[in-house]
Amino acid sequence: MASSVRKKPGSTLRDKVSGVLKMLHRTVQIEYPLKATTADVYFVDQRSQNFPTRVAVECKDWQSPLNSKQLAEIDNLYRPSLNNDEIDFLWIVSNHELAQGPSQRVTNLKRVVYSTYQDFLSTMMNFSLVLEENIAAFKNHESSRNFLQLETKEAGKTLESATRAWLAGDSRALIVFGGYGLGKTSFSFYIASVLSAEYQDGTFDRIPIRISLSGLYAKQDLRGLICSLLTGSEGGPDVGNFTYNLFLRMVHEGLFVLILDGFDEMRHAMTAEEFAYTFEQMSPLFAGQSKTILLGRPDSFFTEEEEDQILSALFSEIDSPESSFEKIEVAPLRRDQIEDYLRLFSVGAELGSSLAEEGHVKRFAYDEDEVDILSRPVQLHMFTKIMRKHMKMEGKITRHRLYSHFIYEFIKREQSKEARKVEFGEAKLGHDDPRSIFMQNVAWWVLADKRENRFSASEIPRDLIPETLTREGRKSGSLREALVGSVIERISRSTEAVGTKGGAVYYFPHKSYLEFLVSEYFCRVRFSRQMFAKFFRNANKEIISFINDGPPEAVENLKQGLEFVRGHALRDFYKVAARHPSYNVPIDPKSFPKLTAAEVFILYELVLSTRKSDEEIDEFVYEVFRTSTNLHRFYAAVQIACEHLNRSQRQNLVEKLIIFTFGSIDEKQLESMYSNQSTLFHVYTADVAAMRAIFLGNCVSIENGIIEVNLRRVWTIANDIARSTFQVGEYELDHDGVVTYRFDGRTHPGINDHVRSLISDRVFARVPMRISGNLADVFSRYD
């Protein structure tokens, strides 16, 4: 009998159990001798000082579950100690669930308890209140009333189904990327609630713990955040016997699914180095048998290098980090989801069925722009709240209009407080009143100069405060008055929490507030060249979207500023500038030679947006190319030509462009280019003929009179020029589109006899060149 239950000195399970118990109890021993046997682990539970409990633990890390006979043998070994009160309880811990018969056997044994190792860990700390809190938190969250099942960008998958597939797999981390307002936080509340209910029902084997990472603002580190969250100090549930080290042990053993929401909010208040350091502190949450969901905005990482740096810190305790996490991206709502939500809203309790009868449901005749605006659940919810008071608003309800309303309501509330009132004369509340101006000024300063959404009060330049607030500042001071009457918030009272000196630290709690206020500043203020340079360098697509939806003044400023662009500029800038009223008239052919490079891109976006025919676009592209006489214009011409030719088959245009280029180059230069492939063609001028020759010699190949245009080479030429002028982003070559054009130069009626004689019997993949002078740096790769 004794041989079948012989001890295993050095048992891994025994050491794990004793290690956990030592975190909670002072008296813990392994291989503790009793009268009839030796306990794997012996400990005294002294949580009740008057009634200490002596417990012997028998650890069985066998490959198979214990059967009834083995349980009886174990009981026989310890029964003398139980009967003689040498121990109060026997605790049998194994790696396997018991079958029905053995489970009943244990129930009939007096003062004997059986647990799996995971159950053993669960008894060390009581998370039952956390489960109830998760369920209640979702019920109280505003999204629970009309919760929307989000979808991933991978077709046919909901975010919930993708999450459950990951839970069933082997990877330890799931990174959920999603843009502004796509419902990531709502989903984090939802999935924590659903999984908590399933854990209570016994259909899910991990305890969900949701942690808002924005709480790191007010805590010194992640440990402080978790401890405050799970010990009730933040008004949440108090986990009995909580210790941080035991919590980490339980994470490692796979007892939890951690839901970490808002890693993009950490980025607002941290430098990249601090971000990486904080993620490195989080790495224990991704080790062992852990399962951790991490949610945030994809633009938290400005470059791929930064993303790699941060993620490598996050998974520093994983041997093969690239195989230990998955990424999914949340998709915007579809049109039918939007309409279903608004239909429920219109006929539901919020507005009452009478409004539906009055025909307000029919008001939502969306175009594509409105669908895009409402495709984010947060904005959709905002929209329905505004509709309560403004069902008869005129015009489209744009994102700019939504945020204008929010800022307006905020300022109006501040003005209703006696201590906050300021005189603003004829200013428009929510746009150019003193409080709005202060917020816009600070937002611009954060974007353009501070370059970080975290700042102490002492860092804020005093000239950002409007005179009205300065003059009417109460005894607390004008800066304090400006700050407390704004959407800017304080991060933490503790300077140690953020590693700065000299008082509290402030930030814009929502990135979209910052972006909206920058767009308002851009609309209100007359910019210098230096300010335009800062704007184009730092503005993102969200700011551009607000400008696009905003008043005409912003478009006027944008049109003016695009003339000063140097370096990279987003294509969306030019799309927005195309709204300028001066472009609402037919293009005068005589104006082509006078167009700037910026105007070329603006007009090209205009002809695309107004759905001109391909033939009309052909003519526009040709005239731009034909009249380009400087490097900036030539870049614009080549770039739009490449994009248009790549998008669809435009054979007539490409022939017209190449015939013009041949005809625009001096006959002697053409002879020099195509007379002998072993002779270098020397380019030493910087005029338009030289640029056309470089274009022709590198983008056009000739084989016995057959002319081939390679758009990959055209795209490369355009990008090479852009490096020395400016570059409009997002003009990418579609390799699945049209990339080559061919026609016979020997028979084409547009090719003159001189050109025909040069190309008929020659083979030139590229014209060998030597480029000197001002164009040498631009086209160095062709030399």
Side-chain angles (χ1 to χ4, degrees):
M1 178 185 301
S3 62
S4 64
V5 291
R6 191 183 319 166
K7 299 289 183 297
K8 294 183 177 181
S11 164
T12 300
L13 181 59
R14 179 204 64 188
D15 293 342
K16 287 163 57 175
V17 167
S18 66
V20 170
L21 290 171
K22 286 177 180 177
M23 296 180 190
L24 295 176
H25 305 290
R26 286 182 295 175
T27 303
V28 179
Q29 298 182 41
I30 63 172
E31 300 301 320
Y32 183 80
L34 300 172
K35 289 182 179 180
T37 187
T38 299
D40 285 338
V41 183
Y42 171 85
F43 73 97
V44 180
D45 187 344
Q46 294 179 315
R47 283 175 289 186
S48 173
Q49 295 182 359
N50 295 326
F51 302 100
T53 304
R54 300 158 300 169
V55 183
V57 184
E58 180 72 13
C59 301
K60 294 299 179 193
D61 51 356
W62 291 355
Q63 293 184 352
S64 301
L66 297 175
N67 57 39
S68 296
K69 179 181 178 182
Q70 291 165 334
L71 289 168
E73 292 173 349
I74 295 171
D75 180 65
N76 288 338
L77 284 175
Y78 285 91
R79 185 53 55 185
S81 297
L82 287 166
N83 291 338
N84 295 327
D85 290 329
E86 188 178 13
I87 59 174
D88 298 305
F89 288 95
L90 167 63
W91 196 348
I92 304 172
V93 179
S94 181
N95 289 325
H96 307 285
E97 295 281 355
L98 293 178
Q100 184 175 359
S103 178
Q104 185 61 44
R105 175 74 177 181
V106 171
T107 303
N108 295 331
L109 296 174
K110 293 182 179 180
R111 294 193 288 169
V112 177
V113 176
Y114 178 89
S115 298
T116 64
Y117 178 63
Q118 284 198 341
D119 291 338
F120 161 79
L121 287 176
S122 297
T123 61
M124 297 297 103
M125 292 192 289
N126 187 349
F127 285 87
S128 59
L129 292 179
V130 172
L131 299 171
E132 294 296 335
E133 171 70 14
N134 288 341
I135 295 170
F138 177 65
K139 287 182 179 179
N140 293 331
H141 194 260
E142 59 186 4
S143 66
S144 64
R145 294 187 62 185
N146 292 302
F147 182 72
L148 291 162
Q149 280 290 353
L150 305 176
E151 296 185 354
T152 68
K153 287 194 173 180
E154 183 180 347
K157 277 191 176 182
T158 65
L159 183 54
E160 181 177 0
S161 66
T163 301
R164 289 186 180 277
W166 166 77
L167 285 168
D170 297 328
S171 65
R172 303 172 194 177
L174 177 66
I175 301 176
V176 180
F177 282 134
Y180 161 79
L182 285 176
K184 301 179 297 298
T185 294
S186 297
F187 176 76
S188 72
F189 278 106
Y190 167 78
I191 198 68
S193 172
V194 170
L195 295 180
S196 294
E198 291 177 7
Y199 184 88
Q200 291 175 328
D201 293 340
T203 56
F204 185 65
D205 60 357
R206 290 176 182 259
I207 298 170
I209 297 180
R210 181 187 178 277
I211 301 173
S212 175
L213 293 178
S214 63
L216 278 173
Y217 288 137
K219 303 300 172 187
Q220 187 167 356
D221 53 24
L222 183 67
R223 177 174 182 154
L225 174 62
I226 292 174
C227 289
S228 66
L229 178 70
L230 297 179
T231 57
S233 62
E234 300 289 332
D238 186 359
V239 175
N241 304 317
F242 179 84
T243 70
Y244 184 69
N245 288 327
L246 181 54
F247 171 79
L248 289 183
R249 173 74 69 107
M250 296 170 76
V251 169
H252 194 277
E253 297 295 334
L255 269 72
F256 305 125
V257 54
L258 301 179
I259 304 165
L260 309 181
D261 181 41
F263 69 78
D264 55 293
E265 296 179 23
M266 294 196 310
R267 186 68 177 93
H268 297 170
M270 295 182 183
T271 64
E273 291 76 16
E274 290 170 332
F275 197 0
Y277 174 73
T278 302
F279 266 31
E280 187 175 351
Q281 286 188 314
M282 293 169 59
S283 60
L285 304 183
F286 295 82
Q289 301 302 311
S290 63
K291 283 281 187 180
T292 303
I293 303 172
L294 194 61
L295 303 98
R297 288 174 66 167
D299 56 2
S300 302
F301 308 115
F302 296 148
T303 65
E304 291 183 4
E305 291 78 8
E306 185 176 84
E307 180 175 341
D308 291 341
Q309 175 193 359
I310 300 303
L311 291 182
S312 64
L314 191 61
F315 301 106
S316 61
E317 296 197 6
I318 295 177
D319 294 334
S320 303
E322 66 280 355
S323 61
S324 296
F325 66 92
E326 299 176 17
K327 297 179 186 178
I328 55 178
E329 190 166 353
V330 184
L333 298 175
R334 301 186 312 272
R335 179 189 290 270
D336 61 303
Q337 290 176 297
I338 296 169
E339 292 178 347
D340 287 345
Y341 184 93
L342 290 174
R343 190 175 297 109
L344 287 172
F345 168 78
S346 298
V347 301
E350 282 193 317
L351 290 179
S353 58
S354 61
L355 287 173
E357 294 169 3
E358 293 171 10
H360 288 295
V361 179
K362 297 179 181 179
R363 182 191 185 285
F364 303 113
Y366 310 111
D367 60 25
E368 291 304 316
D369 289 338
E370 288 172 325
V371 168
D372 183 62
I373 290 167
L374 300 179
S375 65
R376 298 171 184 259
V378 167
Q379 291 173 187
L380 184 58
H381 180 67
M382 290 177 182
F383 177 72
T384 57
K385 291 180 73 173
I386 290 175
M387 289 300 293
R388 180 189 294 274
K389 293 182 179 179
H390 300 278
M391 286 297 294
K392 297 182 179 181
M393 288 196 320
E394 295 296 327
K396 294 195 304 182
I397 302 178
T398 65
R399 192 164 170 245
H400 181 277
R401 195 167 188 176
L402 287 173
Y403 278 85
S404 296
H405 181 84
F406 301 148
I407 295 296
Y408 169 81
E409 289 293 331
F410 176 87
I411 300 297
K412 188 171 73 170
R413 183 173 179 271
E414 291 301 301
Q415 283 292 107
S416 69
K417 302 172 184 178
E418 195 62 35
R420 297 276 86 84
K421 278 186 178 180
V422 295
E423 295 297 327
F424 56 88
E426 297 181 357
K428 181 181 177 182
L429 202 65
H431 176 64
D432 57 356
D433 64 274
R435 296 197 184 280
S436 294
I437 289 175
F438 172 72
M439 290 188 286
Q440 295 166 19
N441 289 348
V442 176
W444 169 253
W445 171 71
V446 167
L447 178 84
D449 296 322
K450 187 71 171 65
R451 305 288 298 279
E452 181 183 21
N453 188 14
R454 185 189 69 178
F455 44 91
S456 65
S458 61
E459 289 181 287
I460 301 174
R462 295 304 187 265
D463 60 1
L464 301 186
I465 307 172
E467 285 187 14
T468 306
L469 291 179
T470 302
R471 186 172 58 249
E472 299 192 13
R474 306 305 192 261
K475 62 181 180 180
S476 56
S478 59
L479 178 60
R480 176 176 174 81
E481 174 65 23
L483 284 170
V484 297
S486 73
V487 296
I488 300 166
E489 294 182 1
R490 184 165 53 189
I491 292 176
S492 171
R493 292 179 182 271
S494 170
T495 58
E496 292 182 358
V498 292
T500 59
K501 298 179 180 179
V505 176
Y506 296 85
Y507 77 117
F508 286 92
H510 300 292
K511 212 174 179 186
S512 295
Y513 274 138
L514 175 65
E515 292 158 346
F516 170 75
L517 291 165
V518 168
S519 74
E520 289 288 277
Y521 182 89
F522 184 80
C523 171
R524 180 177 57 81
V525 175
R526 184 176 180 86
F527 271 37
S528 65
R529 288 195 179 197
Q530 184 182 20
M531 293 172 71
F532 277 125
K534 290 180 178 181
F535 176 76
F536 290 121
R537 185 165 59 243
N538 295 294
N540 60 19
K541 284 181 172 288
E542 300 296 338
I543 293 174
I544 300 171
S545 173
F546 278 126
I547 290 174
N548 183 55
D549 296 336
E553 294 87 346
V555 178
E556 174 65 39
N557 289 354
L558 190 61
K559 175 181 178 293
Q560 175 189 349
L562 287 173
E563 297 297 335
F564 308 129
V565 171
R566 293 297 179 268
H568 186 272
L570 295 173
R571 184 174 181 174
D572 285 352
F573 285 129
Y574 298 87
K575 293 179 180 179
V576 175
R579 288 178 45 211
H580 195 274
S582 64
Y583 299 124
N584 289 339
V585 296
I587 302 172
D588 183 358
K590 295 180 181 179
S591 68
F592 278 99
K594 301 177 183 178
L595 294 177
T596 65
E599 288 175 324
V600 166
F601 281 110
I602 293 170
L603 289 171
Y604 179 65
E605 296 300 338
L606 179 66
V607 297
L608 292 179
S609 65
T610 53
R611 304 185 186 279
K612 298 289 186 182
S613 67
D614 284 339
E615 289 73 19
E616 289 175 295
I617 301 175
D618 286 353
E619 187 61 28
F620 172 80
V621 170
Y622 174 75
E623 285 299 321
V624 167
F625 188 88
R626 183 183 68 82
T627 57
S628 294
T629 57
N630 61 55
L631 195 61
H632 289 71
R633 267 290 304 270
F634 193 70
Y635 157 63
V638 173
Q639 187 73 82
I640 67 170
C642 183
E643 208 251 4
H644 181 54
L645 294 171
N646 179 228
R647 190 171 55 251
S648 63
Q649 185 69 240
R650 307 306 306 156
Q651 185 70 31
N652 288 340
L653 174 60
V654 80
E655 292 175 11
K656 195 173 178 182
L657 291 172
I658 298 307
I659 290 168
F660 165 76
T661 305
F662 272 121
S664 67
I665 300 174
D666 183 84
E667 290 185 358
K668 290 184 178 180
Q669 283 188 309
L670 284 176
E671 289 176 7
S672 178
M673 289 175 64
Y674 292 106
S675 61
N676 190 338
Q677 194 165 15
S678 63
T679 303
L680 290 176
F681 173 64
H682 189 188
V683 177
Y684 51 87
T685 63
D687 56 17
V688 66
M691 289 183 279
R692 289 171 182 167
I694 294 171
F695 168 79
L696 190 65
N698 286 279
C699 301
V700 177
S701 59
I702 296 170
E703 184 175 356
N704 297 323
I706 303 301
I707 298 172
E708 181 175 290
V709 180
N710 187 322
L711 292 187
R712 293 185 180 91
R713 296 182 186 177
V714 176
W715 186 84
T716 301
I717 283 273
N719 279 268
D720 286 339
I721 302 173
R723 286 203 303 269
S724 63
T725 56
F726 70 101
Q727 183 173 32
V728 181
E730 300 173 276
Y731 275 90
E732 299 296 332
L733 189 70
D734 181 3
H735 294 280
D736 293 327
V738 184
V739 292
T740 57
Y741 286 86
R742 293 166 61 90
F743 65 97
D744 193 337
R746 296 167 302 183
T747 59
H748 197 288
I751 298 291
N752 63 44
D753 292 339
H754 181 255
V755 174
R756 189 176 292 114
S757 68
L758 291 173
I759 67 174
S760 293
D761 300 317
R762 304 244 170 74
V763 176
F764 280 84
R766 265 196 177 106
V767 174
M769 294 184 176
R770 172 170 295 166
I771 304 172
S772 59
N774 293 336
L775 294 181
D777 291 337
V778 180
F779 299 105
S780 57
R781 77 164 72 192
Y782 310 111
D783 193 346

